[in-house]
Each structure stands twice: as structure tokens, then as C-alpha cells.
Amino acid sequence: MIALPDPNTISRPYRGLSLQDVAVDLDDTDAVTTYLMGREVYRRTRWLLLRNDARLALVEVRTADTLPLFAPVVELRVLAGPGRTTWLEDATIDVGNATALANAVDRVLSPNVDAYAVQGRYEHVNVIWRPEPVRVTVTEVIPPEPAKLYEMARAAIDFDEDLPPIDLVLDAVDLRELAREHRAPAYLLPCRGSGVDLPGDVAFLDTHPPARQDWLLVGCARSQQFHRHFYGSEAQQVDFCPSLRATDHLIGRVLTKCCMLERGVERHKDVVVVPWGSTLDEVRLALRLLNDLGPVAEDGHLGAARTV
């Protein structure tokens, strides 16, 4: 017997769903079965979205052979009838993307609905089954703003059509708050790129100030290494490493970064770490690992991953 789909299931690719206008009583499962059994469908079709006027039903079908272009249906299951299937239209939505679909239906979520059909961009149609977006916390240092890693994760989600619907949550390590909590006459920050304005004198490690000062280093382990190299001693420090914060204080799935990692991706159970200057491919791979998808093979190679 065909099992019910797992939550967040969509048709991948969306051409695996076929929208069919029919005159069948969609509340009558026997009538739907009689209509479809033995009927030819395209070999890639797995879901049929049947429409009778404004009423909808979602049916999963199996064929005896997937080699011919068309083959008769030999098994089917009505997954959701008219009472549990709903229709939305939003021309901005990429219906091949699970997160986009989940966002589109969020405003109409109901415990009484299982299947949400969305007509989106280019009038393409797809269905998402019982959406339950996966929460991923992104730990990042700000400023600069918007948080770069968070924005890169959003871009990767928009691109990768294998990912489940993801709910990104920003966990910001704010340099301004750290400075307020640790008052000092002078601060040393890793680089000018932060664009942060702190009370007191501010110097930047990447400019290699000529003389050591009595400053507070707001940085990470790599910054302290640079300081030792430049000045022969360690500075008083507030460590802002987002990776340490993620592994020590957060629960659930976490995407973060660390400058001690120069290339590739590391996984620590539910925490995946990318380099400070990560590529979009590395961020994409990290999100895939958090959802147990693994790297894309061959023409979609994403780089190396290491489990720690």
C-alpha cells in the first residue's frame, strides 16, 4: 500500500505533479479509483492533483513500468480529498523550492488541511504536504549588517531545490553589546570591515598598529594569534567566536563560522561550521549536511566536509 508522505514532501521536480480537470466526484474515493485505475499517465508522474471546479484532491499513483513514455496506473492512494486540500496563487513563488512553498502557505496553515497546492511563477503548480519548516539558527557577528552568513544561507536556500523548507533564525553576536558589557579605554577589533563605532579609541588588527596599546581585543583565537605575532604577547580579550557560542550555548541545528577553519566544512553533530570567508557552495553544503542530504555529486560538487 502506498504510504502517506512525510511532512514537507513536495514533488521533486514539480513536473512529477500533474494537474487534471475532471468531472469525477472527488469526495467519492471509489469513483476516483475507478476513474484512474488502468488510465495511462506520464512515466514521471507520481502525484495527480485532480480538480473539479474549485474542489481538489491529491492522489499518488504507481505504474507497473517506468520505461515507456506512458504507462497505466496499477496502484493509487487518495492522499487528501477536497476537505483537506487547498489552492493558493502567488506569482512570485518558485514552486520547485520547498522553503518558498512553505512561506507561501504559512498564512493559511490549518490543522484541517494536509495538501497545499500553489500556482506560482510561470503558472507552474506544485503541492507541499503538511509543511513543518526545519529551524536552523545562524550564529554570526554583527556589524556589518545585514549579517553576511545569514544572507548567504538565504541565497543558498533559494537556489538548492533539494532542501526541505527551512526557517532561518539569526543569532547575532553584536560587537556593540560586547563593548558595552566590557568597558575599556581602547578596543582592538580584527578588521575595518565591521564598520563598528565603539566608545573610546578603536584600532584594527588588520592595519597592524605600529605600537601595542593597553586595549581590549574583541576577537577570536586567530586574532589572538595575530596579536602574539605582531607584539610578542597576548592581549586582554573578549572572545566573540560564533562557533564556540554555537557549540556551547545553542540547541537544535546551527550554522556558524570560524576563522580557524580555512576551507571546507566541519560538522559537530547538529552544528555545521564554515570558514569565515566561506563561499556560497560551502554554505549550501553546510545546510545540506544539517538536513542529512550530503554533498551534491559530480556536476554539482560542493567541496569537502569533515565530521568532528
Side-chain angles (χ1 to χ4, degrees), residues 77-95:
R77 179 171 183 173
V78 177
L79 301 177
R84 302 196 68 86
T85 309
T86 194
W87 174 272
L88 297 89
E89 295 183 8
D90 187 335
T92 68
I93 297 300
D94 174 6
V95 300

Side-chain angles (χ1 to χ4, degrees), residues 140-203:
E140 170 67 299
V141 176
I142 61 169
E145 294 175 281
K148 182 181 178 183
L149 184 58
Y150 181 85
E151 293 299 307
M152 293 180 74
R154 286 181 57 185
I157 289 168
D158 287 344
F159 173 76
D160 193 313
E161 294 186 351
D162 293 332
L163 290 170
I166 293 177
D167 176 25
L168 284 182
V169 178
L170 176 62
D171 170 50
V173 181
D174 194 322
L175 297 180
R176 295 157 298 196
E177 292 183 4
L178 290 178
R180 284 193 292 268
E181 294 168 0
H182 302 83
R183 297 289 184 177
Y187 298 93
L188 180 64
L189 300 180
C191 65
R192 291 163 294 183
S194 63
V196 66
D197 183 19
L198 301 180
D201 295 331
V202 179

Side-chain angles (χ1 to χ4, degrees), residues 23-209:
V24 178
D25 180 0
L26 300 180
D27 286 303
D28 187 339
T29 300
D30 291 338
V32 172
T33 301
T34 299
Y35 175 77
L36 289 177
M37 193 64 72
R39 196 177 188 88
E40 284 192 331
V41 297
Y42 177 55
R43 63 185 174 188
R44 302 300 182 204
T45 300
R46 287 297 174 268
W47 279 356
L48 291 172
L49 183 62
L50 304 182
R51 180 170 61 187
N52 186 341
D53 291 329
R55 297 172 65 76
L56 298 163
L58 182 67
V59 184
E60 186 161 341
V61 296
R62 295 284 187 272
T63 57
D65 193 347
T66 59
L67 292 179
L69 193 61
F70 288 88
V73 172
V74 296
E75 185 181 9
L76 65 88
R77 179 171 183 173
V78 177
L79 301 177
R84 302 196 68 86
T85 309
T86 194
W87 174 272
L88 297 89
E89 295 183 8
D90 187 335
T92 68
I93 297 300
D94 174 6
V95 300
N97 185 281
T99 297
L101 283 173
N103 289 340
V105 308
D106 181 67
R107 64 184 183 274
V108 296
L109 282 179
S110 168
N112 299 318
V113 175
D114 296 313
Y116 297 83
V118 180
Q119 179 176 292
R121 196 180 301 166
Y122 314 118
E123 298 189 1
H124 293 161
V125 176
N126 204 347
V127 172
I128 184 167
W129 178 267
R130 298 179 183 172
E132 297 177 3
V134 176
R135 172 162 291 196
V136 173
T137 301
V138 180
T139 300
E140 170 67 299
V141 176
I142 61 169
E145 294 175 281
K148 182 181 178 183
L149 184 58
Y150 181 85
E151 293 299 307
M152 293 180 74
R154 286 181 57 185
I157 289 168
D158 287 344
F159 173 76
D160 193 313
E161 294 186 351
D162 293 332
L163 290 170
I166 293 177
D167 176 25
L168 284 182
V169 178
L170 176 62
D171 170 50
V173 181
D174 194 322
L175 297 180
R176 295 157 298 196
E177 292 183 4
L178 290 178
R180 284 193 292 268
E181 294 168 0
H182 302 83
R183 297 289 184 177
Y187 298 93
L188 180 64
L189 300 180
C191 65
R192 291 163 294 183
S194 63
V196 66
D197 183 19
L198 301 180
D201 295 331
V202 179
F204 298 97
L205 192 58
D206 66 336
T207 68
H208 191 177

